[in-house]
């Protein structure tokens, strides 16, 4: 009764107040308000945050034929065009369209983009990537949809996200208002032109793109706060980066050489995940990159980096202490990684949180570590963070393997101010697996083993944000 009374009170508000209210809802929820009562029926046609996703309108099943899927896709496009024709407002804050297999709908897509630009849109999201194709196949598809001229002439878009769209920065008529740009499945041979015409750019994300002709990011783009590369093919052998204001740097993919000329002294996060590469200098290169990113408060490193840095000039420590407070190590916890793990712990004297993200170990040629893996962590070597700052150890996908237990016992024995050891079981762990871990925990917490008097060891399930 109360909810109905409150709804009726809302219905008495004028339209110019209701429309901004529902514009703060996810678009799907804004559409649902049309069934509340007659006054609400068409209000969502004035919402200023619009999102049309094929996946939410076209329901696919295993038995769906190509013909039925095409008919559903055509109905979806007709719905979007009809909504645009009935839009009652003057301005759109954000417009999102996600449509796979756009061929045959080019005219409609162009019309919708022109509609959004005419409404002075600030955030434009256009994702035309194939739902059924993986990253390696997207580039081999037919010629991508080309953006209409209005996108290159507009001056209002602040956030632009394009996937599987042709984009030519040389056609930009004026310096852009872009603050955030994200590309996916796109050829970026002229990315340097984009940077030169985007003086306000603060965030650049490039995923699954090819021919990325990025020679440098210089002081001219000194507003850049976030830079992300994921699974890209570069057209240059190396990239110079001058990033005095960078907060977040992430690189995921095959080896690419970055030379950092300047980096913000108070970075929030660095994320490094490289594919396996070979070379005599690769370990030293990684150490140089870590030195350049030493101010990152949160640092994530991959198994390949951990293995490679042991072959650097100094296998004990980096050439300068990291300022990292939260270290995430993606690891298979095999003996080939032990030296690199210790090196990272030793190089983070102010470390407060250590997260071990367990991955299945990758089969490699027989490796002889030169030490006994069973006794490696038994040596009484206590690093500065273990004496003064490390408070939390997290293990994700914990299974209770032999090397997991050996490393945990070392950390519990050596970390004097350790408050928590959180063991996250794999998602979907059985009751027997949970019982086994409970038994393991009881041995880890044996009285007299832990250096810290306030230590708690917990068994947890589900995912954590790291």
């Amino acid at each position: 009764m109360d909810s109905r009374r409150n709804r009726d009170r809302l219905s008495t508000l004028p339209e110019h107040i209701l429309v901004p209210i529902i514009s703060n809802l996810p678009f799907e929820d804004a559409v649902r308000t049309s069934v509340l009562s007659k006054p609400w029926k068409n209000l969502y046609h004035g919402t200023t945050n619009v999102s049309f996703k094929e996946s939410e309108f076209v329901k696919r099943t295993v038995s769906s034929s190509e013909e039925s899927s095409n008919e559903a896709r055509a109905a979806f496009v007709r719905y979007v065009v009809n909504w645009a024709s009935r839009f009652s407002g003057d301005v759109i804050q954000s417009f999102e369209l996600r449509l796979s297999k756009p061929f045959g709908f080019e005219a409609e897509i162009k019309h919708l983009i022109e509609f959004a630009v005419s409404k002075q849109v600030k955030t434009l999201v256009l994702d035309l990537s194939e739902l059924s194709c993986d990253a390696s196949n997207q580039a081999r598809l037919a010629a991508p949809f080309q953006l209409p001229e209005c996108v290159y002439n507009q001056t209002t878009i602040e956030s632009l996200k394009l996937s599987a769209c042709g984009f030519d920065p040389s056609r930009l008529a004026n310096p852009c208002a872009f603050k955030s740009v994200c590309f996916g499945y796109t050829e970026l041979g002229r990315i340097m032109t984009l940077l030169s015409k985007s003086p306000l750019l603060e965030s650049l994300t490039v995923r699954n793109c090819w021919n990325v002709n990025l020679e440098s990011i210089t002081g001219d783009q000194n507003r850049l706060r976030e830079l992300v590369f994921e699974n890209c093919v570069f057209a240059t052998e190396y990239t110079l980066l001058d990033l005095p204001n960078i907060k977040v740097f992430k690189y995921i993919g095959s080896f690419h050489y970055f030379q950092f000329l300047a980096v913000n002294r108070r970075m929030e996060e660095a994320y490094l995940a490289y594919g396996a590469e070979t070379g005599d200098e690769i370990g030293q290169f990684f150490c140089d990159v870590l030195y350049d990113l030493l101010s990152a408060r949160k640092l994530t490193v991959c198994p390949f980096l951990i293995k490679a840095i042991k072959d650097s000039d100094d296998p004990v420590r980096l050439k300068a202490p990291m300022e990292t407070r939260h270290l995430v190590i993606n690891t298979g916890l095999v003996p080939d990684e032990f030296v690199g793990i210790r090196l990272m712990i030793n190089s983070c004297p102010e470390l407060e949180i250590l997260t071990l993200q367990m991955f299945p170990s990758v089969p490699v040629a027989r490796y002889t570590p030169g030490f006994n893996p069973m006794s490696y962590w038994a040596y009484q070597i206590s690093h500065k963070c273990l004496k003064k700052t490390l408070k939390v150890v997290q293990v994700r996908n914990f299974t209770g393997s032999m090397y997991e237990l050996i490393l945990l016992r070392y950390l519990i024995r050596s970390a004097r101010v350790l408050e928590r050891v959180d063991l996250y079981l794999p998602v979907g762990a059985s009751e027997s697996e949970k019982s086994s871990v409970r038994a393991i925990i009881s041995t880890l917490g044996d009285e007299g083993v832990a250096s810290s008097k306030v230590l708690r060891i917990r068994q947890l399930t589900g995912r954590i944000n790291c």
Side-chain angles (χ1 to χ4, degrees), residues 210-283:
W210 59 96
N211 194 33
V212 181
N213 193 22
L214 184 63
E215 298 174 357
S216 64
I217 297 180
T218 67
D220 295 334
Q221 292 89 39
N222 60 11
R223 293 173 63 96
L224 206 60
R225 305 290 196 271
E226 181 178 27
L227 183 60
V228 179
F229 298 103
E230 182 175 346
N231 299 327
C232 294
V233 178
F234 286 81
T236 57
E237 293 185 5
Y238 64 91
T239 300
L240 300 177
L241 297 177
D242 185 6
L243 306 171
N245 293 303
I246 198 72
K247 292 289 187 181
V248 176
F249 176 81
K250 296 184 179 182
Y251 184 83
I252 303 167
S254 299
F255 179 80
H256 182 69
Y257 182 80
F258 291 102
Q259 181 177 351
F260 292 85
L261 303 179
V263 173
N264 183 8
R265 297 305 304 157
R266 295 192 63 83
M267 283 187 67
E268 294 175 2
E269 181 178 5
Y271 188 106
L272 302 173
Y274 289 88
E277 301 286 344
T278 59
D280 296 336
E281 303 296 330
I282 199 74

Side-chain angles (χ1 to χ4, degrees), residues 20 54 60 67 96 99 123 132 170 173 193 207 210 250 268 278 325 338 402 437:
E54 177 188 342
R60 291 179 174 80
E67 182 180 359
E96 178 178 10
L99 174 67
T123 298
S132 60
S170 67
T193 303
R207 292 192 173 100
W210 59 96
K250 296 184 179 182
E268 294 175 2
T278 59
R325 268 54 170 190
F338 286 4
M402 176 176 61
V437 170

Side-chain angles (χ1 to χ4, degrees), residues 357-372:
Q357 169 65 70
M358 302 303 301
F359 281 88
S361 57
V362 178
V364 295
R366 186 173 181 83
Y367 169 74
T368 303
F371 55 81
N372 183 353

